[in-house]
Amino acid sequence: MGFGGTSFRTAIIAIPLAALVLLAPAAQVQGRAEPAQALPTDGTQAATTGTAGIDQLQQKSLAGKAIEKVKEVAKSAGDILSRVPCRSPKGDGKSMGSLPHVAAKLVAGKPVLIVAFGSSSTQGFGSTSPEFTYPNRLAAQLRRQYPGVDITVVNRGKGGEDAPEMMKRLQTEVIDVKPDMVIWQVGTNAVLRNLDPAETAKLVEEGVASIQAAGADLVLVDPQYSPAVNAKGENASRMVQLLGKVAELRHAGFFPRFEVMRDWHEKQSIPFDSFVVADGLHMNDWGYACFAQLLGDDIIKSVGQIKLGVAVPPNVQAYRPM
C-alpha cells in the first residue's frame, strides 16, 4: 500500500494510490538512464534519430495522459466531502489516547505500518474505486499530515466474515506482518447472521489480547448504522454495547461507528442514501471518506498528545465522541 521512494511520495502526497500506479510507468521511462552509444557514421543516423524522436513524443503523450488521469482522480477524491460536509458528532469528544506506539513512531519520523482488518466495509464494498475505500482514504490523510514519514496501510478486509473467520487468519494476516497499529472492524456480519453477541465479544477480546501482546496499538470499530443492521435492532444494540465494553476493559482504542453514523442521520439530517448504497448496508464513497476522515483526525489527536507529553489515564483511553 505504500508509495514508492520518499521524494516521489512527498511531491505528490495528496494523490491517491491507484493514481500513482497509473503515473509510475511514464515516470520510470523518463527517469531511466540509457548507456552512451557511438553515433553511426553512415546514413542510418537520421533514421535512428527520427525513431528516437517518435519514441520521445509517444512517451510524453503517455506521461501527459497519466498526469491528466491523476488530476482527474485527485479532483474527484477532493469533491467527495464537498458534496456534504463531514462534521464530527457534537458532544464532549475525547481523543483515542490509546495509540502510544504508532504516535511515538510518527513523532520520531519512523516508518509506520497499519493493518486494516475486517470484512466487506474494510475491503471497500460499495466504493466506486479502490482509492475511495476507507484504508486508502486514511492513508492519504496521514501522509498529508506527516509527509516525511513512510506510512503504509494494508487492507486485510474480507467480505462476509466476522470474528470466527477472522480469528483463523489473525496470526498470519495481521500479527505476523508486525503492524504498529491494527484497526479491527467487526460485528456487522455477526448481527446479520444472528450470532450470539456475547460469543462474538469473547472471540474479539481474545483477538485484542493477541494483538496487544504482539506490541501493536489497536482500534476497534463496531457495526455501521444502516437500514440492514437496524432491522436487527436488539442484536445490533447488544453487539455495539459489548464491543465498547471489550475496548474499555482492554484499554484499546474504540471508534463508535454506529453512533457516528446515527448522528449523521438523526442529528445532521443526512438521508441514508447519502452515505449508504442501495443494499441498505454498505457505505458509499462519502460514507467511507467521512469515516476515514474522523478516524484519521483522532489518530492525529493522539500523536499531538504524545508531542505535548500528555499521559492519558487508562480509564479514558476508549474513544467516546458522543
Side-chain angles (χ1 to χ4, degrees):
M1 287 264 181
F3 290 160
T6 301
S7 61
F8 185 77
R9 179 175 59 255
T10 303
I12 52 174
I13 199 68
I15 299 174
L17 178 60
L20 293 178
V21 174
L22 289 171
L23 184 57
Q28 291 169 358
V29 169
Q30 291 177 330
R32 185 182 298 121
E34 297 291 350
Q37 296 179 352
L39 291 174
T41 57
D42 56 19
T44 61
Q45 179 176 348
T48 303
T49 302
T51 301
I54 293 173
D55 288 344
Q56 288 177 354
L57 289 173
Q58 290 175 338
Q59 290 168 10
K60 288 181 180 179
S61 176
L62 289 173
K65 290 178 180 178
I67 291 171
E68 288 304 314
K69 181 63 176 177
V70 165
K71 291 179 179 178
E72 178 185 332
V73 172
K75 183 177 184 301
S76 62
D79 286 346
I80 288 175
L81 294 182
S82 67
R83 301 171 198 165
V84 180
C86 177
R87 299 188 178 97
S88 298
K90 294 181 180 180
D92 183 21
K94 293 184 176 68
S95 167
M96 284 180 181
S98 57
L99 310 174
H101 184 69
V102 72
K105 293 194 76 172
L106 284 170
V107 170
K110 296 180 179 179
V112 170
L113 173 62
I114 299 171
V115 172
F117 189 43
S119 57
S120 57
S121 60
T122 296
Q123 187 176 2
F125 190 89
S127 63
T128 60
S129 182
E131 57 261 30
F132 299 150
T133 64
Y134 105 73
N136 280 345
R137 295 286 304 201
L138 176 64
Q141 180 184 359
L142 294 178
R143 288 168 183 151
R144 288 193 299 270
Q145 183 70 24
Y146 309 104
V149 182
D150 182 9
I151 299 172
T152 302
V153 180
V154 179
N155 192 326
R156 288 289 185 264
K158 187 173 291 188
E161 290 193 350
D162 214 276
E165 296 83 12
M166 293 179 198
M167 287 295 289
K168 293 177 182 178
R169 59 189 181 95
L170 176 65
Q171 183 67 43
T172 57
E173 295 194 18
V174 179
I175 294 175
D176 285 353
V177 303
K178 302 185 184 306
D180 298 299
M181 180 168 76
V182 178
I183 303 168
W184 189 0
Q185 165 260 313
V186 66
T188 298
N189 287 312
V191 170
L192 298 178
R193 287 155 51 184
N194 295 313
L195 300 182
D196 182 0
E199 288 298 317
T200 297
K202 182 179 178 181
L203 286 174
V204 171
E205 186 170 6
E206 291 174 7
V208 168
S210 296
I211 292 168
Q212 291 177 326
D217 296 328
L218 176 73
V219 176
L220 278 179
V221 178
D222 63 6
Q224 60 265 49
Y225 180 83
S226 64
V229 174
N230 297 347
K232 305 277 187 175
E234 185 176 344
N235 254 9
S237 178
R238 183 67 175 151
M239 183 65 70
V240 167
Q241 180 184 19
L242 288 174
L243 290 176
K245 191 66 174 176
V246 168
E248 185 177 356
L249 291 173
R250 297 297 311 182
H251 306 313
F254 182 62
F255 187 91
R257 180 171 57 158
F258 189 86
E259 291 300 329
V260 168
M261 293 178 71
R262 190 211 295 267
D263 187 273
W264 294 347
H265 185 63
E266 296 185 359
K267 295 184 179 179
Q268 298 183 40
S269 301
I270 302 175
F272 276 120
D273 61 10
S274 290
F275 58 88
V276 176
V277 295
D279 67 3
L281 175 62
H282 297 94
M283 288 185 282
N284 61 15
D285 287 342
W286 186 92
Y288 285 125
C290 192
F291 168 38
Q293 179 70 46
L294 298 176
L295 178 59
D297 287 346
D298 282 294
I299 293 172
I300 292 166
K301 286 179 186 177
S302 180
V303 177
Q305 288 183 321
I306 296 293
K307 284 183 177 179
L308 295 173
V310 176
V312 181
N315 64 340
V316 299
Q317 286 188 340
Y319 170 70
R320 294 289 187 273
M322 306 303 291

